[in-house]
Amino acid sequence: MNVENKKMDTNERILHAAIELIAEKSYKEVPTKEIAAKASVSEMTLFRHFGSKKRMLVEAADRFYYTVSMKKIFLEKIQWDLESDLLIIAETYHKLIRKNKNLILIAIKEGNKIPDLLEQINKHPRQLKDLLIEYFSQMQDCGAMIPGNVEEYAMAFLYMNYGEFLSRSFVAGNMITSIPDSNFRKASVKLFARGLSVNS
Protein backbone atom coordinates (compact mmCIF):
# COMPACT_ATOMS: atom_id res chain seq x y z
CA MET A 1 0.00 0.00 0.00
CA ASN A 2 1.47 3.38 -0.97
CA VAL A 3 1.72 6.45 1.23
CA GLU A 4 -1.27 8.19 -0.42
CA ASN A 5 -3.55 5.19 0.20
CA LYS A 6 -2.43 5.00 3.81
CA LYS A 7 -3.21 8.69 4.23
CA MET A 8 -6.65 8.26 2.63
CA ASP A 9 -7.42 5.29 4.89
CA THR A 10 -6.44 7.32 7.95
CA ASN A 11 -8.54 10.28 6.83
CA GLU A 12 -11.59 8.10 6.31
CA ARG A 13 -11.17 6.30 9.63
CA ILE A 14 -11.04 9.63 11.44
CA LEU A 15 -14.05 11.03 9.58
CA HIS A 16 -16.18 7.92 10.13
CA ALA A 17 -15.25 7.89 13.83
CA ALA A 18 -16.16 11.57 14.20
CA ILE A 19 -19.52 11.16 12.45
CA GLU A 20 -20.49 8.08 14.46
CA LEU A 21 -19.57 9.55 17.84
CA ILE A 22 -21.04 13.02 17.28
CA ALA A 23 -24.30 11.58 15.91
CA GLU A 24 -24.55 9.32 18.97
CA LYS A 25 -23.73 12.06 21.50
CA SER A 26 -23.28 15.69 20.47
CA TYR A 27 -20.65 17.98 19.01
CA LYS A 28 -19.65 19.40 22.40
CA GLU A 29 -19.71 16.07 24.22
CA VAL A 30 -17.18 14.35 21.95
CA PRO A 31 -13.54 15.39 22.51
CA THR A 32 -10.99 14.95 19.76
CA LYS A 33 -9.15 12.49 21.99
CA GLU A 34 -12.16 10.14 21.87
CA ILE A 35 -12.42 10.45 18.09
CA ALA A 36 -8.72 9.67 17.73
CA ALA A 37 -9.04 6.60 19.97
CA LYS A 38 -12.00 5.25 17.97
CA ALA A 39 -10.09 5.81 14.72
CA SER A 40 -7.00 4.09 16.20
CA VAL A 41 -4.78 7.11 15.65
CA SER A 42 -3.08 9.58 17.94
CA GLU A 43 -4.70 12.92 18.68
CA MET A 44 -1.66 14.55 17.06
CA THR A 45 -2.37 12.61 13.84
CA LEU A 46 -6.00 13.76 13.93
CA PHE A 47 -4.96 17.41 14.18
CA ARG A 48 -2.31 16.98 11.50
CA HIS A 49 -4.93 15.68 9.07
CA PHE A 50 -7.82 18.03 9.87
CA GLY A 51 -6.77 20.74 12.31
CA SER A 52 -10.07 20.87 14.21
CA LYS A 53 -13.24 18.96 15.00
CA LYS A 54 -15.32 21.39 12.94
CA ARG A 55 -13.03 20.90 9.96
CA MET A 56 -13.60 17.14 10.18
CA LEU A 57 -17.37 17.52 9.84
CA VAL A 58 -17.14 20.02 7.00
CA GLU A 59 -14.71 17.72 5.17
CA ALA A 60 -17.01 14.74 5.77
CA ALA A 61 -19.99 16.63 4.34
CA ASP A 62 -18.00 17.38 1.22
CA ARG A 63 -16.51 13.91 0.80
CA PHE A 64 -19.33 11.55 1.74
CA TYR A 65 -22.41 13.31 0.40
CA TYR A 66 -24.11 12.75 -2.94
CA THR A 67 -23.51 15.46 -5.55
CA VAL A 68 -20.90 13.64 -7.65
CA SER A 69 -22.95 10.43 -7.82
CA MET A 70 -26.14 12.31 -8.69
CA LYS A 71 -24.40 14.22 -11.49
CA LYS A 72 -23.33 10.88 -12.92
CA ILE A 73 -26.97 9.72 -12.99
CA PHE A 74 -28.02 12.79 -14.98
CA LEU A 75 -25.11 12.35 -17.39
CA GLU A 76 -25.33 8.59 -17.95
CA LYS A 77 -28.75 7.20 -16.97
CA ILE A 78 -31.35 9.69 -18.20
CA GLN A 79 -33.64 8.22 -20.90
CA TRP A 80 -35.90 11.27 -21.32
CA ASP A 81 -38.91 9.38 -20.01
CA LEU A 82 -40.34 11.34 -17.08
CA GLU A 83 -41.45 8.48 -14.84
CA SER A 84 -38.47 6.18 -15.35
CA ASP A 85 -35.98 9.05 -15.05
CA LEU A 86 -37.51 10.40 -11.84
CA LEU A 87 -37.62 6.90 -10.37
CA ILE A 88 -33.92 6.26 -10.90
CA ILE A 89 -33.13 9.74 -9.55
CA ALA A 90 -35.26 9.07 -6.46
CA GLU A 91 -33.85 5.57 -5.89
CA THR A 92 -30.27 6.81 -6.20
CA TYR A 93 -30.97 9.77 -3.91
CA HIS A 94 -32.37 7.52 -1.17
CA LYS A 95 -29.54 5.02 -1.49
CA LEU A 96 -26.95 7.78 -1.08
CA ILE A 97 -28.68 9.80 1.62
CA ARG A 98 -29.29 6.70 3.76
CA LYS A 99 -25.54 6.09 3.73
CA ASN A 100 -25.15 9.59 5.18
CA LYS A 101 -27.90 9.27 7.78
CA ASN A 102 -25.62 10.13 10.71
CA LEU A 103 -24.25 13.18 8.92
CA ILE A 104 -27.80 14.42 8.30
CA LEU A 105 -28.65 13.82 11.96
CA ILE A 106 -25.65 15.91 13.02
CA ALA A 107 -26.70 18.72 10.67
CA ILE A 108 -30.23 18.68 12.11
CA LYS A 109 -29.02 18.69 15.72
CA GLU A 110 -25.91 20.86 15.42
CA GLY A 111 -26.33 22.89 12.23
CA ASN A 112 -27.06 26.21 13.94
CA LYS A 113 -23.94 25.79 16.07
CA ILE A 114 -21.67 24.93 13.12
CA PRO A 115 -22.57 27.30 10.24
CA ASP A 116 -19.81 25.97 7.97
CA LEU A 117 -21.27 22.46 8.25
CA LEU A 118 -24.79 23.63 7.41
CA GLU A 119 -23.49 25.52 4.38
CA GLN A 120 -21.58 22.47 3.15
CA ILE A 121 -24.57 20.15 3.69
CA ASN A 122 -26.95 22.54 1.91
CA LYS A 123 -24.63 22.82 -1.07
CA HIS A 124 -25.64 19.31 -2.17
CA PRO A 125 -29.44 19.72 -2.37
CA ARG A 126 -28.91 23.09 -4.09
CA GLN A 127 -26.83 21.38 -6.75
CA LEU A 128 -29.39 18.58 -7.11
CA LYS A 129 -32.09 21.24 -7.46
CA ASP A 130 -30.10 22.81 -10.31
CA LEU A 131 -29.76 19.41 -12.03
CA LEU A 132 -33.52 18.87 -11.76
CA ILE A 133 -34.25 22.37 -13.07
CA GLU A 134 -32.08 21.73 -16.12
CA TYR A 135 -33.73 18.34 -16.70
CA PHE A 136 -37.28 19.72 -16.36
CA SER A 137 -36.42 22.65 -18.64
CA GLN A 138 -35.21 20.29 -21.35
CA MET A 139 -38.30 18.10 -20.94
CA GLN A 140 -40.48 21.19 -21.40
CA ASP A 141 -38.48 22.30 -24.45
CA CYS A 142 -39.09 18.98 -26.19
CA GLY A 143 -42.80 19.03 -25.30
CA ALA A 144 -42.64 16.07 -22.92
CA MET A 145 -43.74 18.01 -19.83
CA ILE A 146 -46.34 20.64 -19.00
CA PRO A 147 -45.24 24.28 -18.84
CA GLY A 148 -44.71 25.90 -15.47
CA ASN A 149 -42.12 26.97 -12.93
CA VAL A 150 -39.37 24.35 -13.10
CA GLU A 151 -37.83 25.42 -9.79
CA GLU A 152 -41.15 24.79 -8.05
CA TYR A 153 -41.31 21.34 -9.66
CA ALA A 154 -37.72 20.61 -8.61
CA MET A 155 -38.34 21.67 -5.01
CA ALA A 156 -41.58 19.66 -4.82
CA PHE A 157 -39.68 16.56 -5.95
CA LEU A 158 -36.82 17.21 -3.51
CA TYR A 159 -39.12 17.81 -0.55
CA MET A 160 -41.19 14.73 -1.39
CA ASN A 161 -38.09 12.55 -1.23
CA TYR A 162 -36.39 14.30 1.68
CA GLY A 163 -39.62 14.11 3.68
CA GLU A 164 -39.82 10.38 3.08
CA PHE A 165 -36.20 9.98 4.19
CA LEU A 166 -36.77 11.97 7.40
CA SER A 167 -39.93 10.08 8.26
CA ARG A 168 -38.43 6.65 7.62
CA SER A 169 -35.15 7.48 9.36
CA PHE A 170 -36.00 9.64 12.35
CA VAL A 171 -39.76 9.65 12.97
CA ALA A 172 -40.51 5.91 13.06
CA GLY A 173 -42.07 5.96 9.60
CA ASN A 174 -42.53 2.19 9.65
CA MET A 175 -45.01 2.64 12.51
CA ILE A 176 -47.14 4.84 10.24
CA THR A 177 -47.23 2.53 7.22
CA SER A 178 -46.15 -0.98 6.35
CA ILE A 179 -45.75 -0.11 2.67
CA PRO A 180 -42.18 -1.04 1.64
CA ASP A 181 -39.90 1.84 0.68
CA SER A 182 -39.58 0.75 -2.95
CA ASN A 183 -43.36 0.40 -3.41
CA PHE A 184 -44.02 3.81 -1.89
CA ARG A 185 -41.33 5.39 -4.04
CA LYS A 186 -42.72 3.91 -7.25
CA ALA A 187 -46.23 5.09 -6.38
CA SER A 188 -45.16 8.61 -5.40
CA VAL A 189 -42.97 9.04 -8.49
CA LYS A 190 -45.79 7.71 -10.71
CA LEU A 191 -48.20 10.29 -9.28
CA PHE A 192 -45.63 13.08 -9.56
CA ALA A 193 -44.76 12.21 -13.16
CA ARG A 194 -48.44 11.91 -14.10
CA GLY A 195 -49.05 15.42 -12.78
CA LEU A 196 -46.28 16.85 -14.99
CA SER A 197 -46.92 14.77 -18.09
CA VAL A 198 -48.57 16.39 -21.10
CA ASN A 199 -50.52 13.17 -21.65
CA SER A 200 -52.03 12.94 -18.15
Side-chain angles (χ1 to χ4, degrees):
M1 183 181 292
N2 62 36
V3 173
E4 287 187 1
N5 285 338
K6 285 183 179 178
K7 184 177 180 181
M8 180 64 71
D9 288 346
T10 300
N11 283 350
E12 290 190 355
R13 285 205 315 275
I14 294 169
L15 292 176
H16 281 295
I19 292 168
E20 184 177 337
L21 288 169
I22 294 170
E24 181 184 334
K25 300 178 182 179
S26 75
Y27 182 74
K28 285 188 175 181
E29 289 176 352
V30 179
T32 52
K33 186 175 182 179
E34 186 176 355
I35 295 170
K38 187 170 184 64
S40 301
V41 299
S42 69
E43 195 172 15
M44 184 180 296
T45 297
L46 182 151
F47 282 117
R48 189 169 66 247
H49 281 254
F50 295 104
S52 70
K53 190 164 55 172
K54 182 174 83 170
R55 185 67 235 163
M56 277 184 272
L57 289 180
V58 173
E59 177 76 16
D62 189 51
R63 183 179 301 193
F64 297 141
Y65 222 34
Y66 58 72
T67 297
V68 173
S69 297
M70 291 306 302
K71 282 182 179 177
K72 191 173 181 181
I73 292 297
F74 281 86
L75 287 172
E76 299 178 2
K77 301 293 185 180
I78 293 299
Q79 301 172 24
W80 304 107
D81 175 81
L82 198 56
E83 185 175 335
S84 61
D85 289 343
L86 291 179
L87 183 58
I88 193 169
I89 292 167
E91 294 286 9
T92 304
Y93 171 84
H94 281 276
K95 178 182 177 182
L96 294 169
I97 204 168
R98 279 198 304 268
K99 287 172 63 177
N100 292 287
K101 178 180 174 179
N102 281 341
L103 200 53
I104 300 297
L105 181 59
I106 292 169
I108 291 170
K109 294 195 314 183
E110 312 280 359
N112 291 333
K113 304 169 194 171
I114 317 169
D116 290 349
L117 172 63
L118 204 57
E119 173 58 29
Q120 197 67 18
I121 289 281
N122 284 331
K123 178 181 78 173
H124 297 275
R126 283 199 301 267
Q127 290 175 346
L128 179 53
K129 180 194 74 172
D130 290 342
L131 291 169
L132 285 165
I133 286 173
E134 177 63 23
Y135 170 75
F136 288 146
S137 296
Q138 291 185 54
M139 290 294 279
Q140 285 180 338
D141 289 344
C142 68
M145 200 176 105
I146 61 171
N149 188 313
V150 288
E151 183 173 2
E152 290 177 358
Y153 298 155
M155 290 308 302
F157 186 76
L158 278 173
Y159 282 144
M160 177 179 75
N161 284 282
Y162 187 58
E164 182 200 342
F165 163 74
L166 289 178
S167 179
R168 298 277 190 182
S169 300
F170 304 124
V171 198
N174 291 334
M175 295 177 67
I176 300 170
T177 180
S178 60
I179 298 173
D181 292 6
S182 59
N183 290 17
F184 173 80
R185 208 158 297 134
K186 287 175 184 175
S188 59
V189 166
K190 187 179 187 70
L191 286 169
F192 193 90
R194 185 182 297 170
L196 296 181
S197 174
V198 293
N199 298 317
S200 61

